[in-house]
Amino acid sequence: MPGSGQPGSGQPGSTPPSGRARARDLGLAPGTLLPGPANAITDVPGIRVGHATVIEGTDVRTGVTAIVPDRLVPEGRMPAETMPAGLSVFNGFGKITGSTQIAELGTIETPVLLTATLSVFRVADALLTYLRELRGGEQMPGTLNPVVAETNDSFLSDIWARPITAAHVRAALDSAAAGPVAEGCVGAGTGTGALGFKAGIGTSSRLVPLSGGPVTLGSLVQANFGGVLTVLGVPVPRAPDPGPPSGLASGQNVPGQQAAGGSGRPPRPGSGHEDQPPPGSCVIVLATDAPLDARRLERVASRAFAGMARTGSNFSGNSGDYALAISTAPASAAPETAERPTAAAGSGLVSGDDLDLLFQAAIEATEEAILNSVFMAETTTGFRGHIRHAVSLDSVLQITGRKARSGRM
Amino acid sequence: MPGSGQPGSGQPGSTPPSGRARARDLGLAPGTLLPGPANAITDVPGIRVGHATVIEGTDVRTGVTAIVPDRLVPEGRMPAETMPAGLSVFNGFGKITGSTQIAELGTIETPVLLTATLSVFRVADALLTYLRELRGGEQMPGTLNPVVAETNDSFLSDIWARPITAAHVRAALDSAAAGPVAEGCVGAGTGTGALGFKAGIGTSSRLVPLSGGPVTLGSLVQANFGGVLTVLGVPVPRAPDPGPPSGLASGQNVPGQQAAGGSGRPPRPGSGHEDQPPPGSCVIVLATDAPLDARRLERVASRAFAGMARTGSNFSGNSGDYALAISTAPASAAPETAERPTAAAGSGLVSGDDLDLLFQAAIEATEEAILNSVFMAETTTGFRGHIRHAVSLDSVLQITGRKARSGRM
Amino acid sequence: MPGSGQPGSGQPGSTPPSGRARARDLGLAPGTLLPGPANAITDVPGIRVGHATVIEGTDVRTGVTAIVPDRLVPEGRMPAETMPAGLSVFNGFGKITGSTQIAELGTIETPVLLTATLSVFRVADALLTYLRELRGGEQMPGTLNPVVAETNDSFLSDIWARPITAAHVRAALDSAAAGPVAEGCVGAGTGTGALGFKAGIGTSSRLVPLSGGPVTLGSLVQANFGGVLTVLGVPVPRAPDPGPPSGLASGQNVPGQQAAGGSGRPPRPGSGHEDQPPPGSCVIVLATDAPLDARRLERVASRAFAGMARTGSNFSGNSGDYALAISTAPASAAPETAERPTAAAGSGLVSGDDLDLLFQAAIEATEEAILNSVFMAETTTGFRGHIRHAVSLDSVLQITGRKARSGRM
Amino acid sequence: MPGSGQPGSGQPGSTPPSGRARARDLGLAPGTLLPGPANAITDVPGIRVGHATVIEGTDVRTGVTAIVPDRLVPEGRMPAETMPAGLSVFNGFGKITGSTQIAELGTIETPVLLTATLSVFRVADALLTYLRELRGGEQMPGTLNPVVAETNDSFLSDIWARPITAAHVRAALDSAAAGPVAEGCVGAGTGTGALGFKAGIGTSSRLVPLSGGPVTLGSLVQANFGGVLTVLGVPVPRAPDPGPPSGLASGQNVPGQQAAGGSGRPPRPGSGHEDQPPPGSCVIVLATDAPLDARRLERVASRAFAGMARTGSNFSGNSGDYALAISTAPASAAPETAERPTAAAGSGLVSGDDLDLLFQAAIEATEEAILNSVFMAETTTGFRGHIRHAVSLDSVLQITGRKARSGRM
């Protein structure tokens, strides 16, 4: 059966699920800067994204998403370099491996993986295995600092099963590609929900006209947090009594087993599927080819939360909200460890008004990425029969007073 | 001449300037929680606010605003206590005295004063003098940690003149009162601007229905930052060519000298009054009677930036954005210094869903306080003939599609 | 063969290895406060410690050490509580799971495990498994935040083998006991070295005469850092040409295979055993029954680095230096999550001079714990034939001008 | 009358007070790296130091010390540049203006001034005035961030008098010079005490043989903290009953009025002169010409506390302990503000083993600077007849078993 429990079962990157659409295709794009060609984090040269969607039986709806910088995983070789990185923690109630080293050294050494809360450790371990195998027989470095973050998809998936294997991690990494990125119920977004609706992975990018020439900034989110969905300032409250989903408005995603569909299946008594989803989290990864050191990247990262605020997040104390920004610029910062030196520290770091433009891009791209994560997700039934409903895009258009631009709808 | 350069020349708290109105009176209040009776930080029992507006000649448009907790300045006595406090710094490009001690001990020992950037030190020194005088002949404590924050009002006021005196500080502190709070071009907001328009001081409050009973949270802002004014999600861009202000739309505030009015006066050639205002800052003070320790207060404080995000801030790197939250609850935290012990640490600190409600209140009250700071401010002419125009409330209503609720307009 | 590769193969807690002794038994105890009965972190009521020593073939010299608070792992039940905790990071070049949540909430939810650098993730995952099994069929909490820290023992052990299994983790946890604690080459200290010599696990405690009555503070270290061993202010430099160890001065620890002994074995050519050990790290765990909230615990934790400074650490940039402090006092802080509420926040938190006494205890106990970690460790041969020599206690006594107090020597 | 209340009344930099000596001249220098020619922070090219000692009547024993980088105050001009800076706060119970901006931008814009606790604000304001006057008629920058830190010298000086004037500040800045630096009871050290004895200002430097060539690192301290004086590991406890000071052992410093001498004067009954000195603080300023960005400078700064630990600090919770490190290297970091751009960001930043050498230098120079601050200070009588006794250098030599190297003694 296709897609069920198999590693790498993401949708093709370029086609929205039936009845779903990206915010920009609905005429609902925030901000004033223009997006890159794929309107995705992969518009940043040297950044690839891969997913492994993990769906098993009725209780597992989860996965892994990999953000892979070419510089750290060149073909067939171990990471030979570090990249400047800045982490901003808005609310630290979550898990992210490698965080203290990023804070101390301002660098990452591995791709960034997103997954489900209790799978963080298996995924981090699998990332070590993967990188070791890449290197083949060569000597390994003294140690390595895998970066893996998570959100809690326990409403739709059995987190204590910790179902993600090294094969899934390998599939996400190996499938990482440039170009369009699959969004919604895919990879680490398979089981997440946000702002009252099913959500998942979303991404967006901005072309940033710096004084020294244009650069690109992209954002990718694993959206799993509370609040009231707010689309360009207009609240889209959750329907009080969500009936069976139908038609275009709320696409279905009954993954891996048709019979378990959310529409026709009566709730098991006592199955808890009426439960409120637990407070979630939001992990945001930003990448840019602008030359930025770790300090500036940390400042860029913090601006992502302004984008998140505009989507209606309630910033619950139980939500682990993290933003990590990295720069692919070749010499934008010197690492501080003797083990992995690079030639020279950065010159021409972005400052002043140019830096403010990157901040604006981080805000806009993150707001749009979160909207995409909600708009592209389909209604999903999972653990204990719980259902998270997709938002009706018809309703969104109606409430916001827009008409769809795109013929896709 | 009344009001000109005299300490304490704030407007009466309860009457908006001619042609201005608060957001809520325009039907433009964000959020779902209800405000307190004055819709001001003074709705928190034990919190008073006072202003000293300092206007001198053509070049000084500034002032001091004091947030005074009764516990720290009881009648005729030196502070005998500390109060739990948490500071969240979104962008630290600014000045706030006392910040490292707040971070270390989680307490404040003095009222919180807001003023103009380079006047911070004279104001802090004057606060020490004031508190010493309160104590009269009694022995003073070993030291004291005044808390003074600022924004940069240099577009309308000569900051290097540092015109604020001990008398102004005393006036702000002595005039501190409960009840309605003057907003707009008053106290520390006299010379500030935000989101493309003249702004100033704004405040708002929320009644928070905690499981253990209702509490109040209030926010007061000194708004002086960049971005695009966004009212309940609707952008209100700055008019490209602001003509002479007239009528209700942009109330005038030609303080202290009629001849210097913004309307009829031709710009001095080379006077620079066409200059862009420099990047500013935002200082946010939150108070609550909910029992919170410093850790929780810091978390509450950080949520204020989500409210700021929703008003359209661009979170420029040149903006010093600070949020300080304090709790008036009697025993909400034990101070850690030997010198000023209190009996017992807090019990029944707010947690979980109740804490999330306080977060929501911080977001909502701060968003509304910023709107008030803009809506209540009047067009002001100042240093070098620079003009900051008030937003036209007619335009705001038109753009947002609302009609004014209030007869005041 | 006993002790070889078997989980839980720690030495009995109360007997030093042949020819080794604790600092205090040599008359070399720092500070003025008195130790508790076992001079160990287990002197704090409710704190147990267990080790699993993992020795396999010639290349694996590593293990796990568990610090287990009774409150978090009561008999046969899942953790039902959190405990206040404060983390201080002196140099964040290391890995510690759970750190952002500790920083945000000020609590831990699980025992604290120490291990080898790249095994952190398998150990964290195994800790989840262990805690789930404890709970049996009962419903699990939404998520859980395992706390696992590490140092890099790659000089003596093949870190990429990641040899630590769930069985080892279970053995460390199950064997956790009150009373004397095995030190030196045991558990997570099996393969570590510090200050130029073989080191490992060390512990010490202090009785602290607070004004409200005596409390206990204990420190346990996994010592693996650079510098010049300094004993009560006297430098004990590494011998320039360490010959074959013999006699009392440098006890042997040729674990698991007699033939690989450090004494008579000629170095394999090209085996790299002459290599400098890589820069290491130091993980310090402090526990106390004094009522402290997370803020105070963080301040206590930071003082441990002053004890570390006095032992001669060079605080290399490549050393991950972490101190985590926890309080077992029943109501010393209210957790902030809705999921795991406790009745009441702390009262009577320690302040002022009493807090300074706890700081002193943290400094003294950590200095002594580090000395113990070096003095109790035996010369060890491991990965690629590398040898770390134990310090000669005879030399230490000679250089410091002391005579051993104890007949054990 | 020389030295009494006059600005700039520091001792000549090169002559110790009668009967006092620097640690190195006593053969008591810590560490292995060599000092620079003056063994002072001024060995770093481009760093000058000036003092203003403020002694008035019986109750004022205080002053200002200025650390002046040439780059920020070139002859007759306003600061046109920023310099990379890193601040490390061990215990934030103190006051330091400008701290949040240093943390955000990683730069300083002004000289660094040290003074008495409650005078911080007058000194910061005077620094603004001074810099404005330097600039003469030219236009001022938008704002400026003065950096002023303090310790609490209230045992010997009336801090509430806030006696430091703009003239004193000007005197300290104008007298700033390269070469030897006056130590002990001078400038901001006039009234401070540390480790049980009179202390004051101390400084030291290290030549650091980096792989790319030698650089210099210097440390200057304002020592005013508790603990037990520890000289190269040997505790030198305070004499239980300090009799009248005489001879070499405890040089006298009865500034400004001979009759108030500590030796023959009976304590005023009830004058409180038997009081314990209050908990103090330690401010440490590090400078280097090594190319370091703010991140590395912050890491260098944190290592200073290891030097402080070795002198016997108890790291009281009431002590505000700050270390600020700056780099004079021409292009070591790009500032992030539009207002004050520099050409290029740093290249060739120090890393790895070289960075560790700078850490070592920071530890060693700070330990020696603190010893100098104590050894060079003279017994002082001040506020309310309080006396702080100088340590007897004879006793120090006796206890440590050294003989003085120098004929000066």
Side-chain angles (χ1 to χ4, degrees):
Chain A
M1 187 173 53
S4 174
Q6 298 303 108
S9 57
Q11 314 125 304
S14 50
T15 315
S18 167
R20 312 307 297 167
R22 305 186 79 191
R24 189 165 291 269
D25 292 330
L26 296 173
L28 295 169
T32 59
L33 296 169
L34 295 176
N39 192 16
I41 196 172
T42 48
D43 289 328
V44 180
I47 296 292
R48 289 175 280 133
V49 171
H51 299 294
T53 301
V54 181
I55 295 166
E56 296 172 2
T58 56
D59 286 355
V60 171
R61 304 284 180 273
T62 191
V64 183
T65 292
I67 296 95
V68 184
D70 284 344
R71 275 179 59 195
L72 297 186
V73 187
E75 297 165 69
R77 282 177 294 133
M78 256 298 288
E81 285 194 79
T82 62
M83 292 175 72
L87 176 66
S88 180
V89 180
F90 191 88
N91 195 62
F93 191 173
K95 300 170 187 67
I96 175 168
T97 67
S99 60
T100 66
Q101 184 165 326
I102 296 171
E104 186 71 39
L105 301 183
T107 55
I108 60 167
E109 304 173 335
T110 73
V112 178
L113 300 188
L114 311 179
T115 190
T117 177
L118 293 179
S119 292
V120 158
F121 309 113
R122 292 187 182 178
V123 169
D125 192 67
L127 177 55
L128 290 175
T129 301
Y130 178 85
L131 293 172
R132 191 190 197 193
E133 288 175 3
L134 263 192
R135 182 71 165 258
E138 295 177 63
Q139 196 169 359
M140 297 303 292
T143 184
L144 206 59
N145 188 46
V147 177
V148 184
E150 53 80 33
T151 71
N152 183 349
D153 54 14
S154 63
F155 188 69
L156 291 177
S157 196
D158 179 1
I159 57 173
W160 280 92
R162 287 167 285 163
I164 298 176
T165 65
H168 295 124
V169 172
R170 179 177 298 110
L173 287 159
D174 282 343
S175 69
V181 172
E183 293 171 295
C185 302
V186 63
T190 304
T192 68
L195 300 163
F197 299 98
K198 183 71 185 78
I201 297 292
T203 188
S204 181
S205 70
R206 289 295 183 274
L207 303 173
V208 190
L210 301 187
S211 55
V215 298
T216 302
L217 181 142
S219 179
L220 183 145
V221 304
Q222 179 191 25
N224 193 39
F225 56 94
V228 174
L229 176 63
T230 302
V231 180
L232 304 187
V234 182
V236 181
R238 198 156 61 119
D241 179 28
S246 65
L248 175 150
S250 52
Q252 291 185 27
N253 182 30
V254 189
Q257 83 179 67
Q258 200 58 32
S263 55
R265 185 180 177 234
R268 270 185 297 162
S271 68
H273 85 292
E274 312 90 344
D275 290 351
Q276 285 294 332
S281 294
C282 191
V283 182
I284 302 166
V285 180
L286 303 161
T288 181
D289 54 347
L292 296 171
D293 62 5
R295 173 179 300 274
R296 287 163 174 85
L297 287 165
E298 198 174 313
R299 301 176 80 197
V300 167
S302 69
R303 270 63 185 183
F305 299 118
M308 186 176 160
R310 291 173 188 175
T311 66
S313 170
N314 61 2
F315 290 105
S316 164
N318 293 304
S319 181
D321 300 329
Y322 301 82
L324 175 69
I326 59 176
S327 167
T328 64
S332 51
E336 294 186 339
T337 75
E339 293 165 1
R340 287 176 285 275
T342 57
S347 62
L349 298 179
V350 177
S351 290
D353 290 346
D354 280 348
L355 192 57
D356 280 355
L357 278 175
L358 286 169
F359 291 169
Q360 182 184 343
I363 297 173
E364 290 187 6
T366 300
E367 181 176 356
E368 187 165 339
I370 292 171
L371 294 182
N372 285 341
S373 80
V374 175
F375 291 179
M376 293 288 278
E378 301 165 278
T379 295
T380 301
T381 304
F383 192 41
R384 294 178 179 159
H386 290 166
I387 304 177
R388 293 292 306 252
H389 290 273
V391 69
S392 158
L393 296 182
D394 280 347
S395 300
V396 168
L397 290 170
Q398 196 168 19
I399 292 173
T400 58
R402 308 282 171 121
K403 294 189 177 177
R405 280 189 201 158
S406 153
R408 283 183 193 161
M409 297 277 307
Chain B
M1 188 172 54
S4 174
Q6 298 304 107
S9 58
Q11 314 125 303
S14 49
T15 314
S18 166
R20 312 305 296 166
R22 307 186 79 190
R24 188 165 292 268
D25 292 330
L26 296 173
L28 294 169
T32 58
L33 296 168
L34 295 176
N39 191 18
I41 196 172
T42 48
D43 289 328
V44 179
I47 296 291
R48 290 174 280 133
V49 171
H51 299 295
T53 301
V54 181
I55 294 166
E56 296 173 1
T58 56
D59 286 355
V60 172
R61 304 283 180 274
T62 192
V64 184
T65 293
I67 298 94
V68 184
D70 284 346
R71 275 179 59 194
L72 297 187
V73 188
E75 296 166 69
R77 280 178 294 133
M78 257 300 287
E81 284 194 79
T82 63
M83 292 175 71
L87 176 67
S88 180
V89 180
F90 190 88
N91 194 63
F93 192 173
K95 301 170 186 68
I96 176 168
T97 67
S99 59
T100 66
Q101 185 165 325
I102 295 171
E104 185 72 39
L105 302 183
T107 55
I108 58 167
E109 303 172 336
T110 73
V112 178
L113 301 188
L114 311 179
T115 190
T117 176
L118 293 179
S119 292
V120 157
F121 310 111
R122 293 188 182 177
V123 169
D125 192 68
L127 177 55
L128 290 175
T129 301
Y130 178 85
L131 293 171
R132 190 190 197 192
E133 289 175 3
L134 263 193
R135 182 71 165 255
E138 294 177 65
Q139 196 169 359
M140 298 302 293
T143 183
L144 205 60
N145 187 47
V147 178
V148 183
E150 53 80 33
T151 71
N152 183 349
D153 53 13
S154 63
F155 188 69
L156 291 176
S157 197
D158 179 1
I159 57 173
W160 281 93
R162 286 167 286 163
I164 299 175
T165 65
H168 296 123
V169 171
R170 181 178 296 110
L173 287 159
D174 282 344
S175 70
V181 171
E183 292 171 295
C185 303
V186 64
T190 304
T192 68
L195 299 164
F197 298 98
K198 183 71 185 77
I201 297 293
T203 188
S204 181
S205 70
R206 289 295 182 275
L207 303 173
V208 191
L210 302 187
S211 55
V215 298
T216 302
L217 181 143
S219 179
L220 182 146
V221 304
Q222 179 192 26
N224 192 39
F225 57 94
V228 173
L229 176 63
T230 302
V231 179
L232 304 186
V234 182
V236 181
R238 197 157 62 119
D241 178 28
S246 66
L248 174 150
S250 52
Q252 291 185 27
N253 181 30
V254 188
Q257 89 179 62
Q258 201 58 31
S263 56
R265 185 179 176 235
R268 270 184 298 161
S271 68
H273 85 292
E274 312 90 343
D275 291 350
Q276 286 293 333
S281 295
C282 191
V283 182
I284 303 167
V285 180
L286 302 161
T288 182
D289 54 348
L292 296 171
D293 61 5
R295 172 179 300 273
R296 287 164 174 84
L297 287 164
E298 199 173 312
R299 301 176 79 197
V300 167
S302 68
R303 269 64 185 182
F305 299 117
M308 185 175 160
R310 291 173 187 175
T311 66
S313 172
N314 60 3
F315 291 106
S316 163
N318 294 303
S319 180
D321 300 328
Y322 301 83
L324 175 70
I326 59 176
S327 167
T328 65
S332 51
E336 294 186 339
T337 75
E339 295 165 0
R340 286 176 287 274
T342 58
S347 61
L349 299 179
V350 177
S351 289
D353 291 345
D354 279 349
L355 192 57
D356 280 354
L357 278 176
L358 286 169
F359 291 169
Q360 182 185 342
I363 297 173
E364 291 187 5
T366 301
E367 182 176 356
E368 187 166 341
I370 292 172
L371 295 181
N372 285 340
S373 80
V374 175
F375 290 178
M376 294 288 279
E378 301 165 278
T379 295
T380 301
T381 303
F383 192 42
R384 296 177 177 160
H386 291 167
I387 304 177
R388 295 289 309 251
H389 290 273
V391 70
S392 158
L393 297 182
D394 280 347
S395 300
V396 168
L397 290 170
Q398 197 168 19
I399 292 172
T400 57
R402 307 281 172 122
K403 294 188 178 177
R405 279 189 201 157
S406 152
R408 281 183 194 162
M409 298 277 307
Chain C
M1 188 174 51
S4 173
Q6 298 303 109
S9 58
Q11 315 125 305
S14 49
T15 314
S18 166
R20 312 305 298 166
R22 306 185 80 189
R24 189 165 291 269
D25 292 329
L26 297 172
L28 294 169
T32 59
L33 296 169
L34 295 176
N39 191 19
I41 196 172
T42 48
D43 289 328
V44 179
I47 296 292
R48 289 174 280 133
V49 171
H51 299 295
T53 301
V54 181
I55 294 167
E56 294 172 4
T58 57
D59 286 355
V60 172
R61 304 282 180 274
T62 193
V64 184
T65 293
I67 298 94
V68 184
D70 284 345
R71 276 179 58 195
L72 297 187
V73 188
E75 297 165 69
R77 281 178 294 133
M78 257 300 287
E81 283 194 82
T82 62
M83 293 175 71
L87 175 67
S88 180
V89 180
F90 191 88
N91 195 62
F93 192 172
K95 301 170 186 68
I96 176 168
T97 67
S99 59
T100 65
Q101 185 165 327
I102 295 171
E104 185 72 38
L105 302 183
T107 55
I108 59 168
E109 302 173 336
T110 73
V112 178
L113 300 188
L114 311 179
T115 190
T117 175
L118 293 180
S119 293
V120 157
F121 310 112
R122 293 188 182 178
V123 169
D125 192 67
L127 177 55
L128 290 175
T129 302
Y130 179 86
L131 293 171
R132 190 190 197 192
E133 289 176 3
L134 262 193
R135 182 72 165 256
E138 294 177 64
Q139 196 168 0
M140 298 302 293
T143 182
L144 206 58
N145 188 47
V147 178
V148 183
E150 53 79 32
T151 72
N152 183 349
D153 53 15
S154 63
F155 188 68
L156 292 176
S157 197
D158 179 2
I159 57 173
W160 281 93
R162 288 167 286 163
I164 298 175
T165 64
H168 296 123
V169 171
R170 180 177 296 110
L173 287 159
D174 282 343
S175 69
V181 172
E183 293 170 296
C185 303
V186 64
T190 303
T192 68
L195 300 163
F197 299 98
K198 182 71 185 77
I201 297 292
T203 189
S204 181
S205 70
R206 290 295 182 274
L207 303 173
V208 190
L210 301 187
S211 56
V215 298
T216 302
L217 180 142
S219 179
L220 182 145
V221 304
Q222 179 192 25
N224 193 39
F225 56 94
V228 174
L229 175 63
T230 302
V231 180
L232 304 187
V234 182
V236 181
R238 197 157 61 120
D241 178 28
S246 66
L248 175 148
S250 52
Q252 292 183 25
N253 182 30
V254 189
Q257 84 179 62
Q258 200 58 29
S263 55
R265 186 181 176 232
R268 271 185 297 161
S271 69
H273 84 293
E274 311 91 344
D275 291 351
Q276 286 293 333
S281 294
C282 191
V283 182
I284 303 167
V285 180
L286 303 160
T288 182
D289 54 346
L292 297 170
D293 61 6
R295 174 179 298 272
R296 287 164 174 85
L297 286 164
E298 199 173 312
R299 300 177 80 197
V300 167
S302 69
R303 268 64 185 181
F305 298 118
M308 186 175 160
R310 291 174 187 174
T311 66
S313 171
N314 61 3
F315 291 105
S316 165
N318 293 304
S319 180
D321 300 327
Y322 300 83
L324 176 69
I326 59 176
S327 167
T328 64
S332 52
E336 293 186 338
T337 74
E339 294 164 0
R340 287 175 285 275
T342 58
S347 62
L349 298 179
V350 177
S351 290
D353 291 345
D354 280 348
L355 192 56
D356 280 355
L357 278 176
L358 287 169
F359 290 169
Q360 181 184 343
I363 296 172
E364 292 187 3
T366 300
E367 182 176 357
E368 187 165 340
I370 291 172
L371 295 181
N372 285 340
S373 80
V374 175
F375 291 179
M376 293 289 279
E378 300 165 278
T379 294
T380 301
T381 303
F383 192 42
R384 296 178 177 159
H386 290 166
I387 303 178
R388 294 290 309 248
H389 290 274
V391 70
S392 158
L393 297 184
D394 280 348
S395 300
V396 168
L397 290 169
Q398 198 169 18
I399 291 172
T400 57
R402 307 282 172 119
K403 295 187 178 177
R405 277 189 202 158
S406 151
R408 281 183 194 161
M409 297 277 308
Chain D
M1 186 174 53
S4 173
Q6 298 303 109
S9 58
Q11 314 125 306
S14 49
T15 315
S18 167
R20 311 307 297 167
R22 305 185 80 189
R24 189 165 290 268
D25 293 330
L26 297 172
L28 295 169
T32 60
L33 296 169
L34 295 176
N39 192 18
I41 197 173
T42 48
D43 290 328
V44 179
I47 296 292
R48 289 175 280 133
V49 171
H51 298 295
T53 302
V54 182
I55 294 167
E56 296 171 2
T58 55
D59 286 356
V60 171
R61 304 283 180 271
T62 192
V64 183
T65 293
I67 297 95
V68 183
D70 284 345
R71 275 179 59 195
L72 297 187
V73 187
E75 298 167 69
R77 283 178 294 134
M78 257 299 288
E81 285 194 79
T82 62
M83 293 174 72
L87 176 66
S88 180
V89 180
F90 191 88
N91 194 64
F93 191 173
K95 301 170 187 67
I96 175 167
T97 67
S99 60
T100 65
Q101 186 166 325
I102 296 171
E104 185 72 38
L105 301 183
T107 55
I108 59 167
E109 303 173 335
T110 73
V112 178
L113 301 187
L114 311 179
T115 191
T117 177
L118 293 179
S119 293
V120 157
F121 309 112
R122 293 187 182 179
V123 169
D125 192 67
L127 177 55
L128 290 175
T129 300
Y130 178 86
L131 293 171
R132 191 191 197 192
E133 288 176 2
L134 262 193
R135 181 71 164 257
E138 295 177 64
Q139 197 168 358
M140 299 302 294
T143 183
L144 207 58
N145 187 46
V147 177
V148 183
E150 53 79 33
T151 71
N152 183 349
D153 54 13
S154 64
F155 189 68
L156 291 176
S157 196
D158 178 2
I159 57 172
W160 281 93
R162 287 167 286 163
I164 298 175
T165 65
H168 295 123
V169 171
R170 180 178 297 110
L173 287 159
D174 282 344
S175 70
V181 172
E183 293 171 295
C185 302
V186 64
T190 304
T192 68
L195 299 163
F197 299 99
K198 183 69 185 79
I201 297 293
T203 188
S204 180
S205 71
R206 289 295 183 274
L207 302 174
V208 190
L210 301 188
S211 55
V215 297
T216 302
L217 181 143
S219 179
L220 183 146
V221 304
Q222 180 192 25
N224 193 38
F225 56 94
V228 175
L229 176 63
T230 302
V231 180
L232 304 186
V234 182
V236 180
R238 198 157 61 121
D241 179 28
S246 66
L248 175 148
S250 53
Q252 291 184 25
N253 182 28
V254 189
Q257 88 178 63
Q258 199 59 31
S263 57
R265 185 179 176 233
R268 270 186 298 163
S271 68
H273 84 292
E274 312 91 344
D275 292 350
Q276 285 294 332
S281 293
C282 192
V283 182
I284 302 167
V285 180
L286 303 161
T288 182
D289 54 348
L292 296 171
D293 61 5
R295 174 179 299 273
R296 287 163 174 85
L297 286 165
E298 199 174 313
R299 301 176 80 197
V300 167
S302 69
R303 269 64 185 181
F305 299 118
M308 186 175 159
R310 291 174 187 175
T311 67
S313 171
N314 61 3
F315 291 106
S316 164
N318 293 305
S319 180
D321 300 328
Y322 300 83
L324 175 69
I326 59 177
S327 167
T328 65
S332 51
E336 294 186 337
T337 75
E339 294 165 359
R340 286 174 287 274
T342 59
S347 62
L349 299 179
V350 178
S351 290
D353 291 345
D354 280 348
L355 192 57
D356 280 355
L357 278 176
L358 287 169
F359 291 169
Q360 182 185 343
I363 297 173
E364 291 187 6
T366 301
E367 181 176 356
E368 187 166 340
I370 292 171
L371 294 181
N372 285 340
S373 81
V374 174
F375 291 179
M376 293 289 278
E378 302 166 278
T379 295
T380 301
T381 304
F383 192 42
R384 295 177 177 159
H386 291 166
I387 303 178
R388 293 292 304 252
H389 290 275
V391 69
S392 159
L393 297 183
D394 280 348
S395 300
V396 168
L397 290 170
Q398 198 169 19
I399 291 172
T400 58
R402 308 280 172 121
K403 294 187 178 179
R405 279 190 200 157
S406 152
R408 283 184 193 160
M409 298 277 308

